[in-house]
Amino acid sequence: MEAGENEMDLSPAVTKDGIEIAIYANAGSIADVEKAISRGADGIGLLRTEFIFMQGKKFPGEDEQYNLYLQCAKICHGKILTIRTLDIGADKQLPYYTMKAEENPVMGLRGIRFSLSSPDIFKTQLRAVLRTAAYGNIRLMFPMITSIEEYDLACTLLEECKTELRNEGISFDESLRPGIMIETPAAIILADDFAQTAAFFSIGTNDLTQYLLAVDRNNPYSTNACDIFHPAVVKSISKIVSSSKKYGIDVSVCGEMASDINATGLLLRLGVRKLSITCHSIPLIKKQIRKQIINS
Ligand code: PEP
Ligand code: MG
C-alpha cells in the first residue's frame, strides 16, 4: 500500500545506510500543527504566522498572539516550534490593511522589510514570541533577509523587547536568538557571513527559486521555468549547506522542494539532514527517505 495523506508514521526517517533525517512540518494554522504532530513530525520547521493576522479585523495584539503561539507550543509538547515573523506583502495581503500600491510588490515592501518599517507591529509579535519561548522549545525566524544590517536591525528591536519585558517583570527567554530564511540571492552570496551571525538557516526554495531564476512563482506562464532542479538552485543549496557546516549552525529546507519525493535523494546528497514539509506529505517523504543510500 502507498503511504497516503491520512496515514500517520511515528517511526523515525532513517536512510538505508542508517542516517536519521529530521522531519519537521510547515504549518499555517493550529489545525496544521495538530495534524503534523499527530502524524509523526519531529516538530514545526515553519509556522507561517500570517494566519493569525488574516483572521481578525485588525492587527492582533500581544496577548492574542501569545495565547495562539502558546497553544501551538503545547501541541508540540517539547518538540521544536519555529515561529516565522510576519511575511506579508506581494501575494500575501491582509484584509484590513491596504499596503501602498507598488509597481512590483514581489520586489517591494514584504517580509522583514515590512516589519522593519512598522516597528510597533513587529515588536508586538517579538514580545509575544519571547514570552512563549519561556515555556516551549521555540525558534524565531526572520523571512526575506538580504543583508547583515537588516538582520542586526531586527535583532536590535528584539533586544529592546527583552529589555522592556525584563523591566516589566514578565517571563521570557533571555537566550532566544533568531535564525533566518535563506530565500534571496543576497543571502546565498552572504551565507558565510550570515552563518557567523544567525542562529540557524532555513532554506525557502519557493522564493529562492523565484528570485534566483527571475521567474514569478505565481505566474502560470512561468510554472515550468520555476525549476527547483535548475543547477543554480542546486549549487545554491550546496553552498548554503557548506556554510552552515563550516560554522556549525543548523540548516533545514522548508520550501516546497522538501515535500517533493523527486527531490528527496538530491537534498540528502547535498548534505541536508532536516526537512520541513507539508503535513500531508510526512508519510510519503519518510517512506522515500527509507529508500535512500546517501554514502554510496
Ligand atoms: C519559501 O519561500 O520557500 C517559503 C517556505 O516561504 P513562503 O512559501 O511562505 O514564502
Ligand atoms: Mg518565502
Side-chain angles (χ1 to χ4, degrees):
M1 191 179 78
E2 273 301 302
E5 7 185 289
N6 291 318
E7 245 178 70
M8 57 168 116
D9 183 341
L10 304 179
S11 309
V14 183
T15 64
K16 271 194 165 165
D17 48 346
I19 298 172
E20 184 164 349
I21 308 300
I23 298 295
Y24 302 133
N26 297 342
S29 64
I30 291 182
D32 277 352
V33 177
E34 268 165 357
K35 228 183 285 171
I37 299 301
S38 67
R39 286 182 192 172
D42 297 312
I44 302 297
L46 167 63
L47 182 71
R48 290 185 167 104
T49 57
E50 294 76 58
F51 78 94
I52 296 167
F53 291 75
M54 299 277 186
Q55 64 195 11
K57 290 195 169 65
K58 57 179 174 45
F59 282 99
E62 179 181 320
D63 284 346
E64 187 185 345
Q65 290 189 56
Y66 168 67
N67 287 326
L68 285 162
Y69 301 144
L70 196 60
Q71 216 177 318
C72 295
K74 282 183 181 158
I75 299 166
C76 287
H77 218 81
K79 290 179 172 176
I80 276 177
L81 169 64
T82 311
I83 302 177
R84 181 179 72 182
T85 57
L86 185 61
D87 188 17
I88 54 159
D91 55 319
K92 302 172 191 127
Q93 295 289 331
L94 300 177
Y96 49 83
Y97 181 82
T98 310
M99 297 188 83
K100 273 204 192 115
E102 295 174 286
E103 211 158 285
N104 198 347
V106 176
M107 304 280 196
L109 192 65
R110 56 163 303 194
I112 196 69
R113 298 173 192 170
F114 174 82
S115 294
L116 292 175
S117 75
S118 311
D120 290 348
I121 296 167
F122 190 37
K123 283 179 73 178
T124 302
Q125 183 169 36
L126 294 176
R127 283 176 56 111
V129 175
L130 279 165
R131 287 171 59 192
T132 315
Y135 302 101
N137 188 357
I138 305 299
R139 300 199 309 177
L140 170 67
M141 176 160 84
F142 299 142
M144 284 295 298
I145 290 282
T146 55
S147 69
I148 300 285
E149 290 73 19
E150 219 169 26
Y151 177 80
D152 286 346
L153 267 176
C155 288
T156 301
L157 292 173
L158 182 70
E159 290 308 312
E160 274 180 34
C161 292
K162 287 184 184 175
T163 306
E164 287 169 14
L165 290 167
R166 204 178 298 123
N167 292 341
E168 291 163 30
I170 298 173
S171 309
F172 69 98
D173 180 5
E174 283 276 0
S175 64
L176 191 68
R177 277 186 56 237
I180 60 168
M181 300 269 302
I182 302 273
E183 51 186 352
T184 65
I188 300 164
I189 292 164
L190 296 175
D192 267 359
D193 305 77
F194 277 119
Q196 295 171 70
T197 316
F200 62 89
F201 286 165
S202 181
I203 306 176
T205 52
N206 307 337
D207 278 315
L208 184 141
T209 307
Q210 154 167 270
Y211 292 120
L212 206 52
L213 307 184
V215 287
D216 180 348
R217 66 191 256 194
N218 293 318
N219 183 331
Y221 298 105
S222 56
T223 308
N224 292 332
C226 218
D227 177 13
I228 52 169
F229 298 104
H230 190 290
V233 175
V234 174
K235 285 190 177 184
S236 296
I237 295 171
S238 171
K239 175 171 166 36
I240 297 159
V241 170
S242 70
S243 295
S244 72
K245 283 196 177 143
K246 191 162 147 194
Y247 294 100
I249 69 162
D250 201 77
V251 63
S252 55
V253 175
C254 68
E256 277 166 37
M257 185 177 188
S259 304
D260 183 338
I261 53 168
N262 299 309
T264 310
L266 172 64
L267 289 174
L268 301 194
R269 273 179 275 283
L270 289 172
V272 175
R273 297 290 178 267
K274 295 178 179 179
L275 302 173
S276 189
I277 64 182
T278 53
C279 302
H280 67 264
S281 44
I282 293 170
L284 285 168
I285 294 291
K286 281 192 169 181
K287 198 173 176 198
Q288 189 70 355
I289 287 168
R290 293 180 188 125
K291 291 179 189 164
Q292 306 296 318
I293 300 173
I294 300 177
N295 296 313
S296 55

